[in-house]
Structures are given as structure tokens and as C-alpha cells.
PDB file of all heavy atoms in Angstrom:
ATOM      1  N   ILE A   1     109.453  75.001  28.131  1.00 98.00           N
ATOM      2  CA  ILE A   1     108.233  75.388  27.437  1.00 98.00           C
ATOM      3  C   ILE A   1     107.205  76.015  28.372  1.00 98.00           C
ATOM      4  O   ILE A   1     106.415  76.861  27.979  1.00 98.00           O
ATOM      5  CB  ILE A   1     107.627  74.182  26.676  1.00 98.00           C
ATOM      6  CG1 ILE A   1     106.553  74.639  25.692  1.00 98.00           C
ATOM      7  CG2 ILE A   1     107.119  73.134  27.644  1.00 98.00           C
ATOM      8  CD1 ILE A   1     106.040  73.516  24.802  1.00 98.00           C
ATOM      9  N   SER A   2     107.263  75.608  29.635  1.00 98.00           N
ATOM     10  CA  SER A   2     106.312  76.176  30.599  1.00 98.00           C
ATOM     11  C   SER A   2     106.616  77.620  30.924  1.00 98.00           C
ATOM     12  O   SER A   2     105.703  78.407  31.273  1.00 98.00           O
ATOM     13  CB  SER A   2     106.296  75.341  31.884  1.00 98.00           C
ATOM     14  OG  SER A   2     105.828  74.039  31.678  1.00 98.00           O
ATOM     15  N   HIS A   3     107.877  78.034  30.826  1.00 97.00           N
ATOM     16  CA  HIS A   3     108.214  79.436  30.972  1.00 97.00           C
ATOM     17  C   HIS A   3     107.445  80.269  29.937  1.00 97.00           C
ATOM     18  O   HIS A   3     106.904  81.331  30.243  1.00 97.00           O
ATOM     19  CB  HIS A   3     109.716  79.656  30.843  1.00 97.00           C
ATOM     20  CG  HIS A   3     110.521  79.193  31.995  1.00 97.00           C
ATOM     21  ND1 HIS A   3     110.746  79.985  33.122  1.00 97.00           N
ATOM     22  CD2 HIS A   3     111.185  78.068  32.231  1.00 97.00           C
ATOM     23  CE1 HIS A   3     111.479  79.335  33.984  1.00 97.00           C
ATOM     24  NE2 HIS A   3     111.761  78.159  33.501  1.00 97.00           N
ATOM     25  N   TRP A   4     107.466  79.775  28.691  1.00 98.00           N
ATOM     26  CA  TRP A   4     106.732  80.470  27.653  1.00 98.00           C
ATOM     27  C   TRP A   4     105.238  80.468  27.894  1.00 98.00           C
ATOM     28  O   TRP A   4     104.557  81.462  27.692  1.00 98.00           O
ATOM     29  CB  TRP A   4     107.045  79.809  26.284  1.00 98.00           C
ATOM     30  CG  TRP A   4     108.319  80.191  25.669  1.00 98.00           C
ATOM     31  CD1 TRP A   4     109.398  79.407  25.409  1.00 98.00           C
ATOM     32  CD2 TRP A   4     108.704  81.520  25.219  1.00 98.00           C
ATOM     33  NE1 TRP A   4     110.415  80.124  24.817  1.00 98.00           N
ATOM     34  CE2 TRP A   4     110.015  81.399  24.689  1.00 98.00           C
ATOM     35  CE3 TRP A   4     108.072  82.753  25.230  1.00 98.00           C
ATOM     36  CZ2 TRP A   4     110.702  82.505  24.187  1.00 98.00           C
ATOM     37  CZ3 TRP A   4     108.756  83.870  24.713  1.00 98.00           C
ATOM     38  CH2 TRP A   4     110.037  83.728  24.197  1.00 98.00           C
ATOM     39  N   GLN A   5     104.728  79.299  28.292  1.00 97.00           N
ATOM     40  CA  GLN A   5     103.272  79.184  28.512  1.00 97.00           C
ATOM     41  C   GLN A   5     102.808  80.175  29.579  1.00 97.00           C
ATOM     42  O   GLN A   5     101.689  80.709  29.487  1.00 97.00           O
ATOM     43  CB  GLN A   5     102.899  77.738  28.872  1.00 97.00           C
ATOM     44  CG  GLN A   5     102.752  76.829  27.677  1.00 97.00           C
ATOM     45  CD  GLN A   5     101.661  77.290  26.749  1.00 97.00           C
ATOM     46  OE1 GLN A   5     101.899  77.898  25.696  1.00 97.00           O
ATOM     47  NE2 GLN A   5     100.425  77.034  27.130  1.00 97.00           N
ATOM     48  N   ARG A   6     103.604  80.371  30.594  1.00 96.00           N
ATOM     49  CA  ARG A   6     103.242  81.353  31.651  1.00 96.00           C
ATOM     50  C   ARG A   6     103.085  82.736  31.044  1.00 96.00           C
ATOM     51  O   ARG A   6     102.154  83.469  31.379  1.00 96.00           O
ATOM     52  CB  ARG A   6     104.298  81.359  32.742  1.00 96.00           C
ATOM     53  CG  ARG A   6     104.257  80.141  33.652  1.00 96.00           C
ATOM     54  CD  ARG A   6     105.393  80.207  34.701  1.00 96.00           C
ATOM     55  NE  ARG A   6     105.359  79.076  35.620  1.00 96.00           N
ATOM     56  CZ  ARG A   6     106.217  78.893  36.594  1.00 96.00           C
ATOM     57  NH1 ARG A   6     107.201  79.758  36.804  1.00 96.00           N
ATOM     58  NH2 ARG A   6     106.133  77.854  37.390  1.00 96.00           N
ATOM     59  N   LEU A   7     104.011  83.113  30.167  1.00 96.00           N
ATOM     60  CA  LEU A   7     103.962  84.421  29.524  1.00 96.00           C
ATOM     61  C   LEU A   7     102.752  84.516  28.595  1.00 96.00           C
ATOM     62  O   LEU A   7     102.051  85.505  28.572  1.00 96.00           O
ATOM     63  CB  LEU A   7     105.232  84.683  28.707  1.00 96.00           C
ATOM     64  CG  LEU A   7     106.528  84.966  29.479  1.00 96.00           C
ATOM     65  CD1 LEU A   7     107.708  85.089  28.512  1.00 96.00           C
ATOM     66  CD2 LEU A   7     106.388  86.267  30.300  1.00 96.00           C
ATOM     67  N   LEU A   8     102.521  83.451  27.836  1.00 97.00           N
ATOM     68  CA  LEU A   8     101.448  83.447  26.830  1.00 97.00           C
ATOM     69  C   LEU A   8     100.065  83.498  27.445  1.00 97.00           C
ATOM     70  O   LEU A   8      99.191  84.244  27.001  1.00 97.00           O
ATOM     71  CB  LEU A   8     101.596  82.248  25.935  1.00 97.00           C
ATOM     72  CG  LEU A   8     102.815  82.237  25.007  1.00 97.00           C
ATOM     73  CD1 LEU A   8     103.086  80.816  24.488  1.00 97.00           C
ATOM     74  CD2 LEU A   8     102.698  83.235  23.902  1.00 97.00           C
ATOM     75  N   THR A   9      99.875  82.735  28.493  1.00 94.00           N
ATOM     76  CA  THR A   9      98.546  82.645  29.104  1.00 94.00           C
ATOM     77  C   THR A   9      98.187  83.914  29.875  1.00 94.00           C
ATOM     78  O   THR A   9      97.035  84.205  30.104  1.00 94.00           O
ATOM     79  CB  THR A   9      98.415  81.407  30.045  1.00 94.00           C
ATOM     80  OG1 THR A   9      99.472  81.446  31.005  1.00 94.00           O
ATOM     81  CG2 THR A   9      98.485  80.116  29.265  1.00 94.00           C
ATOM     82  N   SER A  10      99.209  84.647  30.275  1.00 94.00           N
ATOM     83  CA  SER A  10      98.976  85.916  30.989  1.00 94.00           C
ATOM     84  C   SER A  10      99.021  87.141  30.096  1.00 94.00           C
ATOM     85  O   SER A  10      98.886  88.257  30.581  1.00 94.00           O
ATOM     86  CB  SER A  10     100.004  86.088  32.128  1.00 94.00           C
ATOM     87  OG  SER A  10     101.322  86.194  31.601  1.00 94.00           O
ATOM     88  N   SER A  11      99.160  86.940  28.804  1.00 94.00           N
ATOM     89  CA  SER A  11      99.275  88.063  27.872  1.00 94.00           C
ATOM     90  C   SER A  11      97.963  88.860  27.791  1.00 94.00           C
ATOM     91  O   SER A  11      96.884  88.262  27.733  1.00 94.00           O
ATOM     92  CB  SER A  11      99.653  87.560  26.491  1.00 94.00           C
ATOM     93  OG  SER A  11      99.605  88.626  25.543  1.00 94.00           O
ATOM     94  N   SER A  12      98.108  90.165  27.812  1.00 94.00           N
ATOM     95  CA  SER A  12      96.929  91.036  27.642  1.00 94.00           C
ATOM     96  C   SER A  12      96.886  91.574  26.214  1.00 94.00           C
ATOM     97  O   SER A  12      95.985  92.373  25.897  1.00 94.00           O
ATOM     98  CB  SER A  12      97.004  92.184  28.662  1.00 94.00           C
ATOM     99  OG  SER A  12      98.172  92.986  28.420  1.00 94.00           O
ATOM    100  N   ALA A  13      97.827  91.168  25.386  1.00 93.00           N
ATOM    101  CA  ALA A  13      97.910  91.703  24.031  1.00 93.00           C
ATOM    102  C   ALA A  13      97.202  90.876  23.005  1.00 93.00           C
ATOM    103  O   ALA A  13      96.851  91.344  21.923  1.00 93.00           O
ATOM    104  CB  ALA A  13      99.389  91.846  23.646  1.00 93.00           C
ATOM    105  N   ALA A  14      96.986  89.579  23.285  1.00 94.00           N
ATOM    106  CA  ALA A  14      96.368  88.708  22.313  1.00 94.00           C
ATOM    107  C   ALA A  14      95.710  87.518  23.026  1.00 94.00           C
ATOM    108  O   ALA A  14      96.117  87.119  24.124  1.00 94.00           O
ATOM    109  CB  ALA A  14      97.407  88.209  21.321  1.00 94.00           C
ATOM    110  N   ASP A  15      94.728  86.968  22.358  1.00 95.00           N
ATOM    111  CA  ASP A  15      94.119  85.705  22.773  1.00 95.00           C
ATOM    112  C   ASP A  15      94.931  84.601  22.087  1.00 95.00           C
ATOM    113  O   ASP A  15      95.082  84.576  20.871  1.00 95.00           O
ATOM    114  CB  ASP A  15      92.662  85.672  22.329  1.00 95.00           C
ATOM    115  CG  ASP A  15      91.921  84.453  22.814  1.00 95.00           C
ATOM    116  OD1 ASP A  15      92.477  83.704  23.636  1.00 95.00           O
ATOM    117  OD2 ASP A  15      90.794  84.216  22.333  1.00 95.00           O
ATOM    118  N   VAL A  16      95.477  83.656  22.866  1.00 97.00           N
ATOM    119  CA  VAL A  16      96.462  82.743  22.374  1.00 97.00           C
ATOM    120  C   VAL A  16      96.031  81.262  22.466  1.00 97.00           C
ATOM    121  O   VAL A  16      95.523  80.868  23.497  1.00 97.00           O
ATOM    122  CB  VAL A  16      97.798  82.888  23.159  1.00 97.00           C
ATOM    123  CG1 VAL A  16      98.807  81.829  22.720  1.00 97.00           C
ATOM    124  CG2 VAL A  16      98.387  84.275  22.978  1.00 97.00           C
ATOM    125  N   ASP A  17      96.208  80.536  21.375  1.00 97.00           N
ATOM    126  CA  ASP A  17      96.076  79.084  21.369  1.00 97.00           C
ATOM    127  C   ASP A  17      97.474  78.519  21.068  1.00 97.00           C
ATOM    128  O   ASP A  17      98.113  78.941  20.099  1.00 97.00           O
ATOM    129  CB  ASP A  17      95.118  78.580  20.302  1.00 97.00           C
ATOM    130  CG  ASP A  17      93.647  78.846  20.637  1.00 97.00           C
ATOM    131  OD1 ASP A  17      93.344  79.052  21.834  1.00 97.00           O
ATOM    132  OD2 ASP A  17      92.829  78.838  19.707  1.00 97.00           O
ATOM    133  N   SER A  18      97.952  77.604  21.884  1.00 98.00           N
ATOM    134  CA  SER A  18      99.298  77.068  21.733  1.00 98.00           C
ATOM    135  C   SER A  18      99.260  75.649  21.153  1.00 98.00           C
ATOM    136  O   SER A  18      98.373  74.842  21.486  1.00 98.00           O
ATOM    137  CB  SER A  18     100.042  77.056  23.064  1.00 98.00           C
ATOM    138  OG  SER A  18     100.263  78.372  23.528  1.00 98.00           O
ATOM    139  N   PHE A  19     100.300  75.352  20.345  1.00 98.00           N
ATOM    140  CA  PHE A  19     100.429  74.044  19.710  1.00 98.00           C
ATOM    141  C   PHE A  19     101.899  73.633  19.748  1.00 98.00           C
ATOM    142  O   PHE A  19     102.784  74.490  19.848  1.00 98.00           O
ATOM    143  CB  PHE A  19      99.966  74.125  18.246  1.00 98.00           C
ATOM    144  CG  PHE A  19      98.538  74.584  18.091  1.00 98.00           C
ATOM    145  CD1 PHE A  19      98.268  75.957  17.998  1.00 98.00           C
ATOM    146  CD2 PHE A  19      97.504  73.681  18.015  1.00 98.00           C
ATOM    147  CE1 PHE A  19      96.953  76.409  17.850  1.00 98.00           C
ATOM    148  CE2 PHE A  19      96.189  74.113  17.867  1.00 98.00           C
ATOM    149  CZ  PHE A  19      95.914  75.475  17.798  1.00 98.00           C
ATOM    150  N   VAL A  20     102.143  72.327  19.685  1.00 98.00           N
ATOM    151  CA  VAL A  20     103.510  71.779  19.698  1.00 98.00           C
ATOM    152  C   VAL A  20     103.652  70.748  18.606  1.00 98.00           C
ATOM    153  O   VAL A  20     102.748  69.912  18.420  1.00 98.00           O
ATOM    154  CB  VAL A  20     103.805  71.112  21.061  1.00 98.00           C
ATOM    155  CG1 VAL A  20     105.204  70.476  21.067  1.00 98.00           C
ATOM    156  CG2 VAL A  20     103.655  72.087  22.226  1.00 98.00           C
ATOM    157  N   ILE A  21     104.787  70.769  17.892  1.00 98.00           N
ATOM    158  CA  ILE A  21     105.134  69.688  17.032  1.00 98.00           C
ATOM    159  C   ILE A  21     106.415  69.040  17.561  1.00 98.00           C
ATOM    160  O   ILE A  21     107.370  69.756  17.882  1.00 98.00           O
ATOM    161  CB  ILE A  21     105.267  70.119  15.564  1.00 98.00           C
ATOM    162  CG1 ILE A  21     105.545  68.863  14.677  1.00 98.00           C
ATOM    163  CG2 ILE A  21     106.325  71.207  15.346  1.00 98.00           C
ATOM    164  CD1 ILE A  21     105.343  69.112  13.192  1.00 98.00           C
ATOM    165  N   CYS A  22     106.388  67.709  17.717  1.00 98.00           N
ATOM    166  CA  CYS A  22     107.533  67.025  18.287  1.00 98.00           C
ATOM    167  C   CYS A  22     107.782  65.773  17.460  1.00 98.00           C
ATOM    168  O   CYS A  22     107.063  65.469  16.498  1.00 98.00           O
ATOM    169  CB  CYS A  22     107.289  66.673  19.745  1.00 98.00           C
ATOM    170  SG  CYS A  22     105.944  65.513  19.998  1.00 98.00           S
ATOM    171  N   ASN A  23     108.802  64.982  17.843  1.00 98.00           N
ATOM    172  CA  ASN A  23     109.099  63.729  17.146  1.00 98.00           C
ATOM    173  C   ASN A  23     108.469  62.566  17.898  1.00 98.00           C
ATOM    174  O   ASN A  23     107.966  62.699  19.032  1.00 98.00           O
ATOM    175  CB  ASN A  23     110.597  63.559  16.971  1.00 98.00           C
ATOM    176  CG  ASN A  23     111.364  63.564  18.283  1.00 98.00           C
ATOM    177  OD1 ASN A  23     111.044  62.800  19.215  1.00 98.00           O
ATOM    178  ND2 ASN A  23     112.383  64.417  18.399  1.00 98.00           N
ATOM    179  N   GLN A  24     108.538  61.389  17.285  1.00 97.00           N
ATOM    180  CA  GLN A  24     107.893  60.227  17.887  1.00 97.00           C
ATOM    181  C   GLN A  24     108.602  59.803  19.151  1.00 97.00           C
ATOM    182  O   GLN A  24     107.938  59.337  20.123  1.00 97.00           O
ATOM    183  CB  GLN A  24     107.898  59.099  16.881  1.00 97.00           C
ATOM    184  CG  GLN A  24     107.170  57.825  17.350  1.00 97.00           C
ATOM    185  CD  GLN A  24     106.841  56.872  16.225  1.00 97.00           C
ATOM    186  OE1 GLN A  24     106.351  57.285  15.181  1.00 97.00           O
ATOM    187  NE2 GLN A  24     107.124  55.605  16.431  1.00 97.00           N
ATOM    188  N   ALA A  25     109.936  59.942  19.198  1.00 96.00           N
ATOM    189  CA  ALA A  25     110.677  59.495  20.370  1.00 96.00           C
ATOM    190  C   ALA A  25     110.263  60.298  21.618  1.00 96.00           C
ATOM    191  O   ALA A  25     110.214  59.751  22.721  1.00 96.00           O
ATOM    192  CB  ALA A  25     112.194  59.665  20.104  1.00 96.00           C
ATOM    193  N   ASN A  26     110.000  61.593  21.429  1.00 97.00           N
ATOM    194  CA  ASN A  26     109.691  62.451  22.582  1.00 97.00           C
ATOM    195  C   ASN A  26     108.195  62.682  22.806  1.00 97.00           C
ATOM    196  O   ASN A  26     107.798  63.328  23.779  1.00 97.00           O
ATOM    197  CB  ASN A  26     110.366  63.814  22.418  1.00 97.00           C
ATOM    198  CG  ASN A  26     111.898  63.715  22.522  1.00 97.00           C
ATOM    199  OD1 ASN A  26     112.414  62.807  23.152  1.00 97.00           O
ATOM    200  ND2 ASN A  26     112.596  64.619  21.860  1.00 97.00           N
ATOM    201  N   TYR A  27     107.372  62.113  21.917  1.00 98.00           N
ATOM    202  CA  TYR A  27     105.924  62.354  22.045  1.00 98.00           C
ATOM    203  C   TYR A  27     105.362  61.962  23.391  1.00 98.00           C
ATOM    204  O   TYR A  27     104.573  62.709  23.985  1.00 98.00           O
ATOM    205  CB  TYR A  27     105.225  61.598  20.906  1.00 98.00           C
ATOM    206  CG  TYR A  27     103.742  61.813  20.846  1.00 98.00           C
ATOM    207  CD1 TYR A  27     103.157  63.087  20.807  1.00 98.00           C
ATOM    208  CD2 TYR A  27     102.860  60.746  20.783  1.00 98.00           C
ATOM    209  CE1 TYR A  27     101.791  63.259  20.774  1.00 98.00           C
ATOM    210  CE2 TYR A  27     101.516  60.887  20.733  1.00 98.00           C
ATOM    211  CZ  TYR A  27     100.974  62.151  20.722  1.00 98.00           C
ATOM    212  OH  TYR A  27      99.598  62.330  20.663  1.00 98.00           O
ATOM    213  N   PRO A  28     105.748  60.782  23.942  1.00 98.00           N
ATOM    214  CA  PRO A  28     105.188  60.449  25.270  1.00 98.00           C
ATOM    215  C   PRO A  28     105.569  61.462  26.358  1.00 98.00           C
ATOM    216  O   PRO A  28     104.728  61.730  27.251  1.00 98.00           O
ATOM    217  CB  PRO A  28     105.880  59.074  25.549  1.00 98.00           C
ATOM    218  CG  PRO A  28     106.166  58.523  24.246  1.00 98.00           C
ATOM    219  CD  PRO A  28     106.570  59.683  23.404  1.00 98.00           C
ATOM    220  N   GLN A  29     106.756  62.068  26.264  1.00 98.00           N
ATOM    221  CA  GLN A  29     107.149  63.089  27.256  1.00 98.00           C
ATOM    222  C   GLN A  29     106.228  64.276  27.169  1.00 98.00           C
ATOM    223  O   GLN A  29     105.820  64.844  28.198  1.00 98.00           O
ATOM    224  CB  GLN A  29     108.567  63.543  27.010  1.00 98.00           C
ATOM    225  CG  GLN A  29     109.645  62.516  27.196  1.00 98.00           C
ATOM    226  CD  GLN A  29     111.025  63.124  26.929  1.00 98.00           C
ATOM    227  OE1 GLN A  29     111.314  64.236  27.318  1.00 98.00           O
ATOM    228  NE2 GLN A  29     111.861  62.392  26.238  1.00 98.00           N
ATOM    229  N   PHE A  30     105.900  64.717  25.953  1.00 98.00           N
ATOM    230  CA  PHE A  30     105.061  65.870  25.754  1.00 98.00           C
ATOM    231  C   PHE A  30     103.615  65.581  26.188  1.00 98.00           C
ATOM    232  O   PHE A  30     102.924  66.466  26.748  1.00 98.00           O
ATOM    233  CB  PHE A  30     105.125  66.379  24.350  1.00 98.00           C
ATOM    234  CG  PHE A  30     106.344  67.157  24.027  1.00 98.00           C
ATOM    235  CD1 PHE A  30     107.420  66.581  23.398  1.00 98.00           C
ATOM    236  CD2 PHE A  30     106.456  68.490  24.378  1.00 98.00           C
ATOM    237  CE1 PHE A  30     108.596  67.293  23.123  1.00 98.00           C
ATOM    238  CE2 PHE A  30     107.592  69.214  24.095  1.00 98.00           C
ATOM    239  CZ  PHE A  30     108.664  68.621  23.490  1.00 98.00           C
TER     240      PHE A  30
END
């Protein structure tokens, strides 16, 4: 996911807000 975030935060084409939906088992990891 950090590979994507690097692209998104450096984008000159749009102002970006990122969100994630995950399950309860993996929520602590996120």
C-alpha cells in the first residue's frame, strides 16, 4: 500500500485524500 501512497502523495494531477477499509482481524496491523 505504501508503493501506492508514494505515487498518490506526489501526484501533480489531483489533490488526494486516502482511505482504507479492512477487516477486524487485520485492523491492528493497519
Side-chain angles (χ1 to χ4, degrees):
I1 193 172
S2 294
H3 285 276
W4 281 116
Q5 278 298 103
R6 287 178 177 178
L7 288 175
L8 293 164
T9 54
S10 63
S11 173
S12 62
D15 185 9
V16 175
D17 287 340
S18 294
F19 303 87
V20 177
I21 184 165
C22 66
N23 59 53
Q24 185 164 313
N26 292 333
Y27 183 53
Q29 296 180 42
F30 282 98

